Amino acid sequence: MTTVTTTKETLFQRFDNYQPSKSILLWACGMTAVATMVIGFGWGGWVTGGSALKTAAAAGELAKIELASAVCVDRFRTAPDSAAKLVELKNLSDSYKKRQFIEAGGWALMPGQSSPNGRIAESCSAALSA
């Protein structure tokens, strides 16, 4: 009688001996590319060029308003009757009237502009009222 001995391959041996077909390799590459994009755009913080431009434009506009508001506050505080005007501004009831007060005083009018910017005046009045 002949005895047959079979040895069971270990996981590492099976991995070394595995030879995938071309279709499996193509599917694995494709799924890896898709998974990379899903993870990158979903959780990795990747953005498209268009959304990056929109974000940069919004940040630039906000920075411009903040800078102009600081100029407005400086102009208001260096005015000759700023203490009385500040009391008058703080006594106004709502933000719309405060914005109109800043616009009427000319403090929100930036060089090169023909009319004051409402967002600058609103930000300026909020900074002065605080």
Side-chain angles (χ1 to χ4, degrees):
M1 247 202 214
T2 312
T3 53
V4 178
T5 58
T6 51
T7 59
K8 190 172 183 182
E9 289 182 329
T10 65
L11 180 63
F12 293 112
Q13 289 171 335
R14 284 187 287 172
F15 184 74
D16 284 340
N17 296 332
Y18 180 69
Q19 295 180 354
S21 66
K22 289 179 185 177
S23 63
I24 290 177
L25 282 175
L26 288 175
W27 276 105
C29 288
M31 294 306 290
T32 303
V34 169
T36 300
M37 286 185 269
V38 167
I39 291 169
F41 283 106
W43 300 293
W46 297 356
V47 293
T48 62
S51 60
L53 286 174
K54 287 179 188 174
T55 303
E61 184 65 26
L62 180 63
K64 183 175 83 171
I65 296 296
E66 288 176 356
L67 179 61
S69 175
V71 170
C72 174
V73 169
D74 185 57
R75 284 182 180 174
F76 185 91
R77 290 195 174 147
T78 57
D81 55 349
S82 64
K85 293 287 185 185
L86 185 60
V87 170
E88 190 178 343
L89 176 70
K90 288 187 176 185
N91 287 333
L92 294 174
S93 59
D94 60 11
S95 62
Y96 179 73
K97 289 181 181 178
K98 290 179 180 182
R99 189 186 89 194
Q100 284 183 325
F101 181 78
I102 295 293
E103 287 176 355
W107 299 293
L109 185 63
M110 294 296 119
Q113 291 182 335
S114 59
S115 63
N117 185 323
R119 290 181 63 194
I120 295 171
E122 189 173 330
S123 179
C124 181
S125 68
L128 289 168
S129 296

